[in-house]
Amino acid sequence: MILNEQGLTDRAAWEAAGYDLPKFDRQKAAQATKENPFWIHFGVGNLFRAFQANVVQNLLNQGVLDRGLVAAEGFDYEIVEKMNRPHDDYSILVTLKADGSIEKTVVGSILESHTLDSENEAEYGRLKEIFTKDSLQMASFTITEKGYSLVDGKGQQLAAVSADFAAGPQKPQSYIGKVASLLYARYQAGEKPIAMVSMDNCSHNGDKLYAAISAYADKWVENGLADAGFKDYVHNKNKVSFPWTMIDKITPRPDASVEEILKKDGIDGLEAVITSKNTYVAPFVNAEECEYLVIEDAFPNGRPQLEKGGLMFTERETVDKVEKMKVCTCLNPLHTCLAVFGCILGYHKISDEMKDTELTKLIEIVGYKEGLPVVVDPGILNPKEFIDTVIKVRVPNPFMPDTPQRIATDTSQKLAIRFGETIKAYKASPQLNVADLKLIPLVFAGWLRYLMGFNDAGERFTLSPDPLLDTVQPYVANLKLGVQTDVQALKPILENEKIFGVNLFDVGMADTVVGYLNEMNAGIGAVRETLKKYVS
């Protein structure tokens, strides 16, 4: 069995092997999508293929939709060239359930795939054509939080952004510049309405996308490179909206054990591709069963009935509450706790960490005791039930091959939201006291200990990618096991509000963090002993 249009003609063989196949007329849907696309998605990664693409397939199967998705990749063109197209835009979704069972689904709802390459006239021309269609209702994004930034880790404007600001919308080189150029084509075609929907896992994601797009519109108009009306178009929410969303579905890198399952079923051609940009992509994705996507219902060109696929539409205030519940308390901070200490303690699977008494107690206290008191109940999802599912079902799932090393990526960009917001809420509350936060500063100290680059047994390990490693590592470079440090030596990190969300000196937490760090740095095994001391 081969995963492509030809290989799927033998439906009986696939179904006999336990695969759920597309039940809609793909050729008819592809033609309808070409003529009247309604949804284009930027960022052809694992989350999109496991979540949004599967939701659309379910709705196609039910007859709720008659068109599918257009996918575009702007960071790594090889994903489309070496994975999507050889497999005719099919992929396999392997859902790994906590009870040990799996579901195998061939997902075929992506009906066009393109590279966001302004140098390729055919590719970029088709994307412009799509953006001028009356039928297009939304462009969505999973390009990571970094994808919306127009500056580097040191706050300097990226060279490609500066060049695009000066050159205009004809042939931009930066990611957001290209998207803004496509939006300009839609403006020129008659100021047609559209929703620009960030579905990335970051706070107020719609605002980040809006800030990035509007920066291009403002500069191009200011420099006389675009019609003056383009700026007004982008700033008019009745023409172009930037809804907030909250997304949650654990979708780790395709795992070798899952590949073996598929190979035993008789599927050929499952080899992964590692691109020249070091992206690891396979014809299959493995993901957990739980999934949440809450979207601000702001679609100036209308939208299909995606709520029938399990997506939740609500007002912005509710999205904000759900997002803060998840990102600041009920999931993401717990992941960071497990990522930082998992690396130091030598773990390579998140689920294995949930068998560790100290680490389980750590996330229970950070979640239930320190975080939950400042969570506002959003109404559509219960915070206590959400965190119960995270701790009892989702994270312990032994069949989810997620790693602390993956989650530790970009930790410097995550701490401010995942913990800083809780600190701010304590500081603002007349009933709560920042000094009562005992384990959040322990996690900060754990991150500093992690930056030293050796585990609790004194062995070196490779730090996960992070844009601020070159900035922060020098401050811990001289730290050695058994050698104490003082708060002034780490002051440039501890007072950095961009990292922690607050100045740790101002909230009275700096000495606590350094005290914990010195305990964890006392010698071999000191991290474990420090955890035992403070979670008991």
Side-chain angles (χ1 to χ4, degrees):
M1 298 189 296
I2 298 175
L3 184 67
N4 58 26
E5 202 71 67
Q6 179 62 35
L8 285 161
T9 55
D10 187 0
R11 293 179 65 90
W14 286 85
E15 290 170 346
Y19 289 80
D20 187 22
L21 302 181
K23 298 175 179 63
F24 61 96
D25 185 331
R26 197 168 189 247
Q27 187 174 359
K28 183 178 178 182
Q31 185 61 36
T33 303
K34 182 177 182 181
E35 294 171 358
N36 293 296
F38 78 99
W39 182 354
I40 183 169
H41 183 86
F42 294 90
V44 193
N46 294 327
L47 176 60
F48 165 65
R49 292 159 66 204
F51 194 170
Q52 293 94 327
N54 191 47
V55 167
V56 171
Q57 170 146 307
N58 289 335
L59 294 175
L60 282 162
N61 288 341
Q62 296 166 24
V64 174
L65 294 177
D66 61 355
R67 291 161 292 164
L69 287 156
V70 179
E73 176 56 40
F75 171 71
D76 194 336
Y77 302 154
E78 291 178 55
I79 296 173
V80 168
E81 296 162 350
K82 296 183 177 180
M83 192 54 59
N84 280 66
R85 289 177 180 166
H87 296 283
D88 295 329
D89 287 321
Y90 284 105
S91 64
I92 297 172
L93 167 60
V94 180
T95 303
L96 306 166
K97 299 186 176 182
D99 64 3
S101 64
I102 65 171
E103 288 180 358
K104 299 172 291 187
T105 306
V106 174
V107 178
S109 61
I110 300 172
L111 300 175
E112 277 189 57
S113 59
H114 300 283
T115 58
L116 183 61
D117 184 359
S118 59
E119 300 292 335
N120 186 318
E121 290 186 13
E123 293 281 338
Y124 206 60
R126 173 55 182 159
L127 291 173
K128 281 191 174 182
E129 180 185 8
I130 289 168
F131 261 78
T132 61
K133 293 279 190 177
D134 292 347
S135 59
L136 188 64
Q137 295 175 311
M138 74 164 146
S140 60
F141 301 80
T142 48
I143 61 175
T144 76
E145 184 170 1
K146 289 184 292 184
Y148 307 105
S149 179
L150 308 185
V151 298
D152 61 21
K154 297 180 180 179
Q156 300 298 311
Q157 191 171 88
L158 297 168
V161 174
S162 299
D164 287 349
F165 281 174
Q170 277 63 48
K171 196 176 283 189
Q173 299 304 307
S174 61
Y175 199 129
I176 296 296
K178 295 172 192 174
V179 173
S181 173
L182 296 175
L183 192 58
Y184 186 54
R186 188 165 183 81
Y187 160 79
Q188 290 179 308
E191 300 186 35
K192 296 175 180 178
I194 188 172
M196 304 291 284
V197 190
S198 169
M199 295 180 175
D200 272 298
N201 179 20
C202 55
S203 178
H204 300 172
N205 45 22
D207 286 355
K208 288 179 170 58
L209 178 58
Y210 169 69
I213 294 286
S214 62
Y216 284 86
D218 293 351
K219 276 293 182 183
W220 287 342
V221 170
E222 178 186 323
N223 294 335
L225 300 166
D227 294 346
F230 181 49
K231 179 177 176 179
D232 296 332
Y233 171 71
V234 169
H235 290 292
N236 184 350
K237 64 183 179 182
N238 294 316
K239 291 287 188 179
V240 184
S241 66
F242 294 86
W244 291 3
T245 69
M246 189 288 291
I247 192 165
D248 185 18
K249 185 178 181 73
I250 299 172
T251 311
R253 167 174 155 160
D255 191 71
S257 65
V258 175
E259 182 179 345
E260 285 305 309
I261 293 171
L262 305 186
K263 283 182 176 178
K264 288 178 182 177
D265 289 338
I267 302 176
D268 296 323
L270 290 171
E271 293 75 21
V273 169
I274 299 177
T275 71
S276 57
K277 289 193 173 183
N278 208 34
T279 305
Y280 184 96
V281 62
F284 66 92
V285 290
N286 35 244
E288 67 170 340
E289 184 177 13
C290 290
E291 59 187 27
Y292 308 88
L293 180 50
V294 183
I295 306 175
E296 178 189 352
D297 202 353
F299 288 77
N301 200 29
R303 63 169 177 80
Q305 294 177 299
L306 298 176
E307 62 271 23
K308 291 187 175 180
L311 307 191
M312 292 172 272
F313 292 87
T314 184
E315 66 280 351
R316 171 170 288 204
E317 292 75 15
T318 300
V319 177
D320 189 38
K321 291 174 184 176
V322 173
E323 185 266 333
K324 285 181 177 175
M325 178 196 79
K326 175 227 172 185
V327 174
C328 303
T329 306
C330 295
L331 175 63
N332 294 22
L334 312 188
H335 259 162
T336 292
C337 294
L338 294 172
V340 167
F341 285 105
C343 291
I344 298 172
L345 296 175
Y347 283 102
H348 293 279
K349 282 186 72 174
I350 287 290
S351 57
D352 287 342
E353 292 186 66
M354 295 305 290
K355 302 170 188 173
D356 186 303
T357 300
E358 284 75 48
L359 294 182
T360 301
K361 287 181 178 178
L362 171 67
I363 66 169
E364 286 175 348
I365 295 170
V366 169
Y368 291 117
K369 185 176 179 180
E370 297 191 352
L372 211 51
V374 295
V375 171
V376 177
D377 190 338
I380 59 173
L381 289 172
N382 180 277
K384 171 68 165 53
E385 292 175 2
F386 190 95
I387 200 170
D388 285 345
T389 303
V390 168
I391 291 178
K392 297 175 183 177
V393 178
R394 299 177 66 187
V395 182
N397 184 344
F399 306 99
M400 281 297 297
D402 211 354
T403 69
Q405 291 74 24
R406 182 189 77 86
I407 296 170
T409 300
D410 299 338
T411 299
S412 72
Q413 310 297 291
K414 299 171 179 176
L415 296 172
I417 296 297
R418 299 187 178 193
F419 301 100
E421 292 302 309
T422 294
I423 297 170
K424 290 177 187 176
Y426 268 72
K427 190 176 180 182
S429 170
Q431 287 84 32
L432 298 170
N433 188 341
V434 173
D436 291 333
L437 295 173
K438 303 298 185 184
L439 294 195
I440 286 177
L442 184 67
V443 178
F444 291 164
W447 179 60
L448 295 172
R449 172 64 178 78
Y450 159 89
L451 289 173
M452 293 168 65
F454 53 88
N455 63 24
D456 203 26
E459 302 161 338
R460 284 282 170 194
F461 67 84
T462 301
L463 298 175
S464 300
D466 190 308
L468 288 189
L469 282 184
D470 291 342
T471 301
V472 296
Q473 263 199 293
Y475 293 106
V476 300
N478 295 324
L479 294 182
K480 293 180 175 58
L481 284 179
V483 178
Q484 301 286 284
T485 189
D486 63 64
V487 72
Q488 291 302 313
L490 295 170
K491 185 178 180 182
I493 301 179
L494 300 174
E495 67 182 4
N496 192 326
E497 293 185 27
K498 289 185 177 179
I499 293 178
F500 297 107
V502 294
N503 181 325
L504 296 184
F505 287 92
D506 290 348
V507 296
M509 201 174 276
D511 288 326
T512 304
V513 170
V514 174
Y516 286 149
L517 175 61
N518 283 330
E519 289 188 60
M520 285 191 277
N521 205 29
I524 300 296
V527 175
R528 171 67 68 184
E529 291 307 310
T530 304
L531 279 170
K532 284 182 180 179
K533 177 179 177 181
Y534 291 105
V535 304
S536 60

